Amino acid sequence: MSLSTQKSESQTARRDTFGNEIDPVVGFARGSIIKSSIEEAKRLRHGQTVAAKRVQALGPRSIGVFTGNQRDFPVRPEDLNTNCEEWIGPGLYAEELRAVAIEHLGGRSDDGCAVFNRTSAGIVATIAALAGGKPVLSVVPAGDRSHASVVRGCTLARVGLKEVTSDKDWRTHIADCCLVIVTTVTSALARLDDAFTIAVVEEAHKAGAIVLLDEAYGARLRPVLHGGQKALALGADLAITNCDKAGLSGPRAGVLVGRSGLVMAAGAKAAEYGMEARAPIAAAVLRSLQKFDPHHLTQEAAAGQELAAALEAAMGAGVVMRSDLGPMVNEDAVLAIILERASISADALNVVPCEATAALGMLLLADHGILTVNTHGQPGARVSLRLKPTLDALASVGGVSAVVDAVDDCITKVADIVTDENAMKTLILGDFA
């Protein structure tokens, strides 16, 4: 048993609506089809195959991305033989990248910058470099949880994790920690207000702790949609953001900015682990930050709200939850709807909610070109149905009403096979079953 999960396993196991035990690392119940990260990886690989077949048959415009991650690769032709060159390139643009990253995250002129192949990699490396052998305190919005990379980072660093929601007494844990991680906006888009984040930062600094803000979404969502301050203006030592979500076009990478010595330590640890971003990725991060336009985020948010309103009208406001970027339906609620449509009870079922949403996602992708995290999320990603349209997503799949009709159609198709475990397994994992 890892140090990072001792506390969770010593308590009564959490269970979902159907009585399935929830894996404390990923926050959802595993079943007989999606048993571990290995099956999640197989599901992802199958999802990629399904997407490729659709593109080969109908062209790239036949798919709309509803993950909230645009994932372009915005290098320029002149970058290919200069900035993307592995030996010379990083030195050519290092200062330019540092300056634009500092501006984006509201840092200080002498701050450092490091780029990682994923935001998760940056979080893991920072924990490994800066936890100091003590438990990490993770503060998250009420009712939500840390990203799986925080849990796994603590396990790899062999330190404990104290996760506290914003409505609980987080102050009592700060004295025990060298590193405090504050998730300002979670992947479910639950959000802390700036005043609360500042209070955590101030208390942590009084205790001599280092503060990292997980700003994967928050670096843009808070200032652009809610009038908040830029990340490092909140007083933290470090902030990390994702370069392919909430208005940034890609690539998939994480950029860390903050006190130069701490950034250097995290970057060095990432290099030890092979998690640093190589020259072409970092060059694309530079171009992505340079061309960031807040209007793109407001457009995404407006499209998401239009879709949320339509899905609420079809499924009910009590079923559909709204985030800043679009509608969400909890995985338990999805399975409950499927059971109702199939006219069966949960006792007749061998699948768990994450498998129901994975099956729904595969059908949405194959039949309607709607690409979601349910097919393309990495192991540990949330498994609720989340529809966060990127800029051209709605147009690519026929508009808002087409998406609502597709969700209804695919729920019926899952209901038709939900008691057939082999059919569900084939749908979710394909040839990787």
Side-chain angles (χ1 to χ4, degrees):
M1 180 170 63
S2 71
L3 290 171
S4 63
T5 58
Q6 283 181 5
K7 184 177 179 183
S8 296
E9 293 179 356
S10 68
Q11 299 171 345
T12 302
R14 291 176 57 229
R15 296 185 180 275
D16 66 17
T17 304
F18 303 94
N20 304 301
E21 185 174 334
I22 292 175
D23 181 336
V25 175
V26 295
F28 58 82
R30 297 191 180 279
S32 60
I33 299 173
I34 300 180
K35 297 179 285 188
S36 71
S37 293
I38 295 173
E39 286 74 33
E40 290 181 85
K42 290 178 178 179
R43 184 263 306 146
L44 169 59
R45 187 66 190 87
H46 178 50
Q48 292 168 339
T49 300
V50 171
K53 287 180 179 177
R54 185 174 178 90
V55 168
Q56 288 162 355
L58 300 172
R61 289 286 297 168
S62 68
I63 286 182
V65 177
F66 286 78
T67 66
N69 307 83
Q70 191 166 328
R71 291 192 180 161
D72 292 340
F73 199 79
V75 292
R76 302 170 183 171
E78 62 267 27
D79 291 327
L80 296 179
N81 293 319
T82 54
N83 290 339
C84 291
E85 199 278 327
E86 288 279 359
W87 298 109
I88 308 300
L92 294 175
Y93 60 77
E95 273 305 301
E96 193 176 8
L97 174 58
R98 188 180 74 88
V100 72
I102 287 172
E103 193 282 329
H104 193 80
L105 289 167
R108 297 146 290 216
S109 61
D110 60 347
D111 277 344
C113 167
V115 183
F116 305 84
N117 58 27
R118 288 179 60 184
T119 301
S120 295
I123 290 172
V124 169
T126 301
I127 292 170
L130 303 176
K134 293 184 177 182
V136 170
L137 173 61
S138 175
V139 182
V140 299
D144 217 321
R145 60 181 175 84
S146 309
H147 191 271
S149 61
V150 176
V151 183
R152 290 169 173 156
C154 289
T155 300
L156 290 169
R158 297 181 179 272
V159 297
L161 171 62
K162 298 183 177 184
E163 183 179 83
V164 184
T165 54
S166 58
D167 56 336
K168 306 298 182 184
D169 188 6
W170 46 270
R171 289 179 175 83
T172 60
H173 302 286
I174 284 181
D176 301 328
C177 304
C178 285
L179 178 64
V180 176
I181 300 175
V182 182
T183 304
T184 59
V185 179
T186 68
S187 57
L189 303 187
R191 178 173 52 89
L192 298 175
D193 64 49
D194 286 4
F196 178 87
T197 301
I198 290 169
V200 176
V201 171
E202 290 177 348
E203 289 293 323
H205 284 167
K206 287 177 185 176
I210 298 163
V211 182
L212 166 68
L213 299 186
D214 177 358
E215 285 268 271
Y217 279 100
R220 291 163 299 284
L221 189 146
R222 290 184 309 94
V224 175
L225 300 185
H226 297 283
Q229 297 184 64
K230 290 187 177 182
L232 290 170
L234 300 174
D237 304 288
L238 299 162
I240 190 166
T241 194
N242 193 316
C243 295
D244 69 343
K245 61 178 54 168
L248 275 184
S249 64
R252 185 183 190 192
V255 59
L256 178 73
V257 173
R259 289 164 50 190
S260 58
L262 302 179
V263 171
M264 185 67 72
K269 186 61 67 174
E272 290 178 16
Y273 289 168
M275 299 189 301
E276 80 281 13
R278 304 302 300 223
I281 298 292
V285 168
L286 167 65
R287 299 308 183 202
S288 183
L289 291 171
Q290 287 175 329
K291 74 185 189 73
F292 170 63
D293 182 350
H295 181 59
H296 291 162
L297 178 54
T298 59
Q299 286 180 302
E300 288 181 10
Q305 294 312 305
E306 184 183 1
L307 179 56
L311 199 62
E312 277 183 0
M315 301 181 72
V319 173
V320 177
M321 298 173 286
R322 287 200 191 202
S323 74
D324 283 329
L325 299 180
M328 304 182 296
V329 183
N330 179 271
E331 60 269 22
D332 290 19
V334 171
L335 182 54
I337 294 167
I338 289 168
L339 291 176
E340 182 180 4
R341 190 129 343 156
S343 299
I344 60 174
S345 70
D347 296 336
L349 204 62
N350 292 317
V351 302
V352 296
C354 75
E355 295 163 346
T357 53
L360 177 61
M362 287 297 171
L363 289 169
L364 286 170
L365 177 59
D367 296 352
H368 302 279
I370 298 170
L371 190 152
T372 65
V373 173
N374 304 106
T375 60
H376 278 66
Q378 290 290 330
R382 293 176 189 259
V383 295
S384 54
L385 174 65
R386 287 172 289 154
L387 298 169
K388 295 180 283 189
T390 52
L391 284 177
D392 299 323
L394 285 170
S396 295
V397 299
V400 168
S401 61
V403 174
V404 174
D405 290 345
V407 171
D408 182 70
D409 171 58
C410 293
I411 285 174
T412 297
K413 288 177 178 176
V414 177
D416 289 342
I417 64 167
V418 72
T419 58
D420 186 337
E421 189 172 350
N422 287 333
M424 289 288 286
K425 187 172 185 179
T426 299
L427 175 59
I428 294 167
L429 302 180
D431 292 339
F432 302 94

